[in-house]
Amino acid sequence: AAVSANALEPFAVREGIPNATAKLKAGGDFTVVFLGGSITKGGGDHGFTQAVPAWLREIMPKAKIKVVNAGINGTDSDFGAARTDRDVLAEKPDLVFVEFAVNDGTNDRARSMERIVRKIWTADPTTDIVFLYTISQDQLETYKKGELPKSAASHEKVADFYGIPSITLATGLVEKLNAGKDWKALMKDGAHPNETGYGIYLEEIKAALTAASNAGQPGRTLKAETLTPNLKVYPDAVTAKPMPEPKPLTTADGKTAKVTWELPSAGEYWRDEHEFKVEGKNLWAVQTQAWKKGDARLGGKLDATFGLSRADWEPMRWLAETGAFDGPEGMPLWKGKFLAAKENDLPVIVFIAPETGRYAFAAKSGGVSFNSHHRNVALNVVHFPWGKEEGQSIAFFKTDKTEKKPLDLTFEQDLQAGEMVAFALDANVNYGGGTAGFKDLTIRAGLLP
């Protein structure tokens, strides 16, 4: 039976998970994807992505279960919908859990949740879906009233419309709290469970999936009508605009460049590929470096010894729906004229000299941005001689959350054709989510007479 959007029940079975159940019983390959935020991503052995599949393997021993943790810290269902193709559909899932009730906050995200559902079922209508409603401390009073908070209530409308099972994981925790348990005994902070809290969540999931496995019939036809009027599952395609001719770069001592190139803004002039070509030659590239704790080369150094090795680079990935280039963690790093370090992703903007000569550079920002735990940001400019994997610092900039000094670097460098000048961003981003980066970033390079 359906659960109304203001009722607090442990779960609603609706049309169940009959396709997943049949596949699990038959044995063979089975892929389960968890799409969500940090509550999904974390928890280790006790989190959803470890504990739920471990239980499924116990009760369905013939199945070869593959698990994909598509949780990304600090992300909501809007971003989840944008990345569903990349992070979910590419895995060809048999069962998908969706968890965004906390990170959607006080927003009505029925549209985003519906886009996730329709993307999955357009690709394969036999993929079963389950919605998970976790709890944050600021939602506690709403749950204690026997109501779903606004975010989960909007998710529930989608679940009810499409017959998707939903599990209100908050019920078990509220029951413990009402019985006298302290919040801190169950949760590490305002939203993330500790081992005990995840254990309560797991029991709720096991009970719900047991019931859902006995409901419905295998097969599914995606209904033509939508809950959201005029819903666009996929936005209209956008093409890059031609890069306008930049103004000539002039140095402080009055030299004017013969040719000037300016870093194209991501989404407007630069899309799809991590390399930007001019007249058939790679001129700019966007790369990332992973923050590696304990590695002398990478992350949190905030000095001119950072980013000196090309061996640590990997290309950024373009995500069309967000109009941004992402790092390996899946978060936008380069969008418009905003360059950010997020989580374990440290971005690198690369200029590749189109011909041999002396170049002038000017790198400036309209400001700096810090949120969450991040307090410092630094930019190390590294020259990579021809054919070399290791480079040397030729310019350096650093600021902090108190100072918030905008980026302003000018310098000159002799380059052979094909040599690289890399602008490597570093920050204290190894924990806690958030960003540190440069707003309204411009990088200009000019070939001097």
Side-chain angles (χ1 to χ4, degrees):
V3 174
S4 65
N6 64 353
L8 186 61
E9 298 290 341
F11 57 84
V13 170
R14 299 192 175 92
E15 294 178 13
I17 54 168
N19 299 291
T21 302
K23 293 173 186 175
L24 286 166
K25 287 181 177 178
D29 295 336
F30 185 91
T31 299
V32 55
V33 176
F34 293 82
L35 177 66
S38 57
I39 301 171
T40 289
K41 183 177 181 179
D45 292 342
H46 307 286
F48 306 144
T49 61
Q50 295 297 319
V52 174
W55 172 69
L56 288 175
R57 291 183 183 107
E58 285 180 14
I59 62 172
M60 299 288 187
K62 289 195 294 183
K64 298 176 182 177
I65 298 175
K66 174 187 173 183
V67 181
V68 178
N69 187 342
I72 299 179
N73 293 355
T75 61
D76 58 16
S77 63
D78 200 21
F79 184 48
R83 64 188 181 91
T84 295
D85 297 76
R86 182 191 73 191
D87 296 345
V88 179
L89 300 185
E91 304 293 339
K92 300 187 184 308
D94 299 295
L95 177 63
V96 180
F97 292 90
V98 185
E99 175 271 313
F100 288 114
V102 167
N103 285 356
D104 277 352
T106 58
N107 300 296
D108 183 333
R109 289 286 168 78
R111 174 185 169 276
S112 296
M113 295 294 283
E114 187 172 16
R115 288 185 64 222
I116 292 170
V117 171
R118 294 195 75 89
K119 280 187 171 188
I120 293 170
W121 282 352
T122 298
D124 184 353
T126 67
T127 300
D128 286 334
I129 303 171
V130 178
F131 286 179
L132 303 176
Y133 307 149
T134 55
I135 185 174
S136 63
Q137 197 163 13
D138 57 7
Q139 296 172 334
L140 181 56
E141 291 307 312
T142 303
Y143 276 112
K144 282 188 172 183
K145 292 177 186 175
E147 300 174 358
L148 290 174
K150 188 173 182 179
S151 58
S154 68
H155 297 186
E156 188 75 345
K157 291 175 185 175
V158 178
D160 197 34
F161 185 81
Y162 287 98
I164 293 170
S166 60
I167 311 174
T168 307
L169 297 174
T171 55
L173 274 94
V174 171
E175 185 178 304
K176 298 289 185 185
L177 293 167
N178 285 338
K181 275 280 188 183
D182 184 70
W183 178 269
K184 292 181 180 178
L186 307 174
M187 307 291 276
K188 292 192 296 185
D189 52 28
H192 300 91
N194 58 23
E195 181 179 338
T196 303
Y198 272 117
I200 295 169
Y201 279 177
L202 176 62
E203 292 307 310
E204 299 282 344
I205 293 172
K206 287 161 67 174
L209 293 186
T210 299
S213 66
N214 295 315
Q217 296 295 323
R220 180 180 290 113
T221 300
L222 176 59
K223 59 172 68 177
E225 65 273 21
T226 61
L227 174 65
T228 306
N230 304 312
L231 178 72
K232 274 195 171 183
V233 177
Y234 287 93
D236 294 335
V238 177
T239 56
K241 298 177 183 177
M243 183 69 182
E245 190 74 25
K247 294 179 181 178
L249 187 152
T250 301
T251 64
D253 58 1
K255 292 178 288 190
T256 299
K258 296 187 296 182
V259 187
T260 300
W261 299 274
E262 185 168 321
L263 177 67
S265 57
E268 185 176 16
Y269 304 119
W270 188 358
R271 304 176 68 85
D272 302 320
E273 301 296 334
H274 82 285
E275 295 171 328
F276 185 88
K277 297 180 187 295
V278 173
E279 296 179 351
K281 291 182 179 179
N282 291 333
L283 186 71
W284 301 96
V286 281
Q287 306 275 357
T288 60
Q289 305 178 94
W291 200 104
K292 296 179 182 177
K293 190 172 184 178
D295 191 322
R297 299 171 300 171
L298 291 175
K301 297 179 69 64
L302 303 165
D303 61 27
T305 65
F306 168 72
L308 302 181
S309 176
R310 289 171 54 192
D312 300 310
W313 293 357
E314 62 179 282
M316 287 195 197
R317 301 174 296 174
W318 173 252
L319 187 57
E321 288 193 33
T322 60
F325 285 100
D326 296 349
E329 292 282 308
M331 294 284 280
L333 301 181
W334 174 231
K335 181 174 184 178
K337 291 188 174 184
F338 183 57
L339 181 69
K342 297 187 176 187
E343 290 298 314
N344 293 328
D345 290 343
L346 303 174
V348 184
I349 300 289
V350 184
F351 174 78
I352 304 112
E355 57 184 279
T356 299
R358 186 163 184 82
Y359 287 78
F361 291 87
K364 301 178 185 295
S365 75
V368 289
S369 172
F370 299 94
N371 67 42
S372 190
H373 300 283
H374 307 325
R375 299 173 302 278
N376 304 281
V377 65
L379 186 76
N380 194 25
V381 183
V382 183
H383 170 223
F384 289 91
W386 177 253
K388 300 293 185 182
E389 291 292 307
E390 304 297 317
Q392 300 91 35
S393 176
I394 54 176
F396 180 77
F397 173 88
K398 179 181 176 182
T399 190
D400 60 35
K401 196 171 184 177
T402 301
E403 186 182 37
K404 283 193 172 181
K405 182 173 65 175
L407 173 68
D408 190 356
L409 282 179
T410 57
F411 57 93
E412 295 182 15
Q413 179 68 34
D414 291 320
L415 299 172
Q416 295 183 45
E419 287 189 345
M420 298 178 179
V421 173
F423 298 79
L425 192 65
D426 190 16
N428 58 323
V429 296
N430 64 318
Y431 74 102
T435 62
F438 297 113
K439 300 183 289 187
D440 300 318
L441 175 69
T442 60
I443 300 177
R444 307 177 76 215
L447 180 62
L448 296 176

